Structure formats: structure tokens, C-alpha cells
Amino acid sequence: AFPPALGTGDITVLPGGARPPVTFTVRLAKSESQRRYGLMFTSDLPDRHGMLFIFETDAVLRFWMKNTKIPLDMLFFDSTGRLVSLIRSAAPFSLSPRASTGPARYVLEINGGAAAKMGVQPDARLLLL
């Protein structure tokens, strides 16, 4: 299967506390087929790169790691950009569903361990496009 064409953009995360903002270059997954494909078969993500999944409304979101070769941090944000939940280093190839702890609209997937490196706090925010 060929990956669907994706737009790209830069987004900024405010990790929370007094930590400086961090900018990521992301692939944008807006359609159902783009979201379903996600980062499957990606074998390497450069630092400060990732994928931003964009949904129409806030809802509890479930993700899995089928065909995903690298561990990923998943940051779930609501429609105001507030961090809802964080899953650290989801295991590659796992079929276990990973769900947000509350309604979310955006999911940022980045390299496993990147959230810890930038010091993500409970008051972290995604600066909306």
C-alpha cells in the first residue's frame, strides 16, 4: 500500500512550566485514510519531526502501533490546544489500543522519549495553526 499524500507544516508545543517552546515539522493527517495510515512503515523520524493527526471534533481517541517500526510518544490535545494525555514510548508493532484519557482533537506523534527530553508538563499546550 502506498502512503496517502500528506501536507506538512510547522507546529509549536509549549511544554509547560517555564520551558521554552519547541517547534516540530509535522506531516498533517487530516483525512480518514491519512489518519489510518499514520506513521506505519516509517523507520526513522528526525529530531523535532512527527505527525499531527487532526480530527473534526473532540472525542476519546484510540491509536495502535500496527506496522509502526519505531517507539512513539503520543500527545493528545483538545480543541483549545490543552494537553489531555500523554502516552510515552508506545511499543512498535503493538496492537494494544492506546486511548486518550479524555476528549481530544489533535494527536502529535513524535519519537519515543522526545516528550521527556523537552520536559512536557501537565499544563503543556499545542499552539494551534
Side-chain angles (χ1 to χ4, degrees):
F2 289 102
L6 297 169
T8 59
D10 287 342
I11 58 147
T12 300
V13 173
L14 302 176
R19 288 171 171 76
V22 180
T23 300
F24 287 89
T25 299
V26 293
R27 294 177 238 175
L28 301 170
K30 297 179 183 176
S31 73
E32 183 60 35
S33 64
Q34 291 169 337
R35 292 189 297 248
R36 198 175 306 121
Y37 197 88
L39 288 172
M40 286 198 302
F41 309 111
T42 299
S43 51
D44 179 58
L45 259 185
D47 267 359
R48 299 206 176 177
H49 281 68
M51 178 170 272
L52 184 67
F53 296 80
I54 302 169
F55 293 84
E56 286 74 36
T57 57
D58 287 35
V60 171
L61 300 175
R62 287 175 179 76
F63 279 63
W64 63 353
M65 297 287 287
K66 182 180 180 182
N67 296 323
T68 305
K69 298 178 172 186
I70 54 176
L72 296 172
D73 288 349
M74 299 176 189
L75 290 79
F76 295 83
F77 297 93
D78 68 14
S79 56
T80 68
R82 185 183 62 84
L83 182 68
V84 174
S85 56
L86 165 60
I87 293 169
R88 296 179 190 272
S89 293
F93 300 107
S94 169
L95 297 184
S96 303
R98 306 284 199 303
S100 57
T101 54
R105 185 167 178 195
Y106 305 96
V107 182
L108 176 62
E109 288 187 344
I110 54 179
N111 279 312
K117 269 188 215 147
M118 65 178 169
V120 170
Q121 304 294 305
D123 63 337
R125 298 190 66 80
L126 173 67
L127 292 188
L128 300 175
L129 314 169

